[in-house]
Amino acid sequence: MTAKKKTTASYDGFSDEERAAMKDRAAELKKPARKGADGEADLLAKIAELGKADRAIAERLHAIIKENAPELTPRTYYGMPAWAKDGKVLCFYQPAEKFKTRYATFGFNDGAHLDDGTMFPTAFAITKLTAADEKRIAELMKQAVS
């Protein structure tokens, strides 16, 4: 049995974007412990860093969520805009540019009350937001926090 030659470059299974998201998350976990942490300011700062298309979607999502689920707390989650209920992230926006994907994603964690039978969507691809999309998101938010 021959030993495999180890190369100097190693692959740990994570992309640069994934490693950056993990670093963002580690920083977020430390932040609430600091006095006066402002989740909405952090969320708006992350949105401001986005490219034009992702920023436009994130701004509209934030407005829709504030209007239809005002009990949610804005924050960041792995460096992405997110909204929490009782301290737990309920939904989040993953910009397309963050992981160099074809479309952005608006997703819900398991605390969202979206159950509809035994199989139902918890994430949605977004390329742009139409009036019909905005109406659907408003409906989803009301259901998610119910």
Side-chain angles (χ1 to χ4, degrees), residues 125-144:
I126 302 175
T127 56
K128 68 178 186 173
L129 288 175
T130 65
D133 298 332
E134 291 182 9
K135 182 180 176 190
R136 177 70 175 127
I137 291 167
E139 292 166 354
L140 285 168
M141 292 312 305
K142 289 174 185 174
Q143 181 181 351

Side-chain angles (χ1 to χ4, degrees), residues 10-16 18-19 22:
S10 68
Y11 177 72
D12 65 5
F14 296 105
S15 69
D16 291 342
E18 290 167 327
R19 279 193 290 280
M22 288 185 284

Side-chain angles (χ1 to χ4, degrees), residues 7-8 12-15 18 22 28 30 33 36 40 57 73 80 84 89 97-98 104 106 108 110 113 141:
T7 62
T8 55
D12 65 5
F14 296 105
S15 69
E18 290 167 327
M22 288 185 284
E28 291 161 3
K30 293 175 186 174
E40 185 159 29
I57 294 169
T73 305
M80 299 177 284
V89 171
E97 65 191 39
K98 183 161 184 83
F106 181 56
F108 293 88
D110 63 346
H113 299 146
M141 292 312 305

Side-chain angles (χ1 to χ4, degrees), residues 3-118:
K4 288 187 178 182
K5 184 178 178 182
K6 191 169 185 166
T7 62
T8 55
S10 68
Y11 177 72
D12 65 5
F14 296 105
S15 69
D16 291 342
E17 294 80 16
E18 290 167 327
R19 279 193 290 280
M22 288 185 284
K23 286 179 184 176
D24 285 340
R25 183 68 182 134
E28 291 161 3
L29 290 171
K30 293 175 186 174
K31 197 165 200 159
R34 294 199 321 246
K35 209 172 192 179
D38 184 356
E40 185 159 29
D42 293 341
L43 176 136
L44 294 173
K46 282 295 180 185
I47 290 174
E49 293 173 5
L50 299 175
K52 185 178 178 181
D54 278 326
R55 185 173 56 248
I57 294 169
E59 287 170 346
R60 283 303 303 139
L61 280 174
H62 184 52
I64 294 165
I65 292 166
K66 281 182 75 163
E67 181 179 330
N68 293 281
E71 63 270 37
L72 296 184
T73 305
R75 58 181 289 183
T76 59
Y77 182 59
Y78 290 92
M80 299 177 284
W83 299 266
K85 182 177 181 181
D86 301 325
K88 294 183 179 182
V89 171
L90 185 79
C91 58
F92 58 92
Y93 174 66
Q94 181 179 306
E97 65 191 39
K98 183 161 184 83
F99 295 104
K100 299 177 182 147
T101 58
R102 184 168 61 96
Y103 49 79
T105 304
F106 181 56
F108 293 88
N109 286 335
D110 63 346
H113 299 146
L114 298 177
D115 303 45
D116 184 18
T118 59

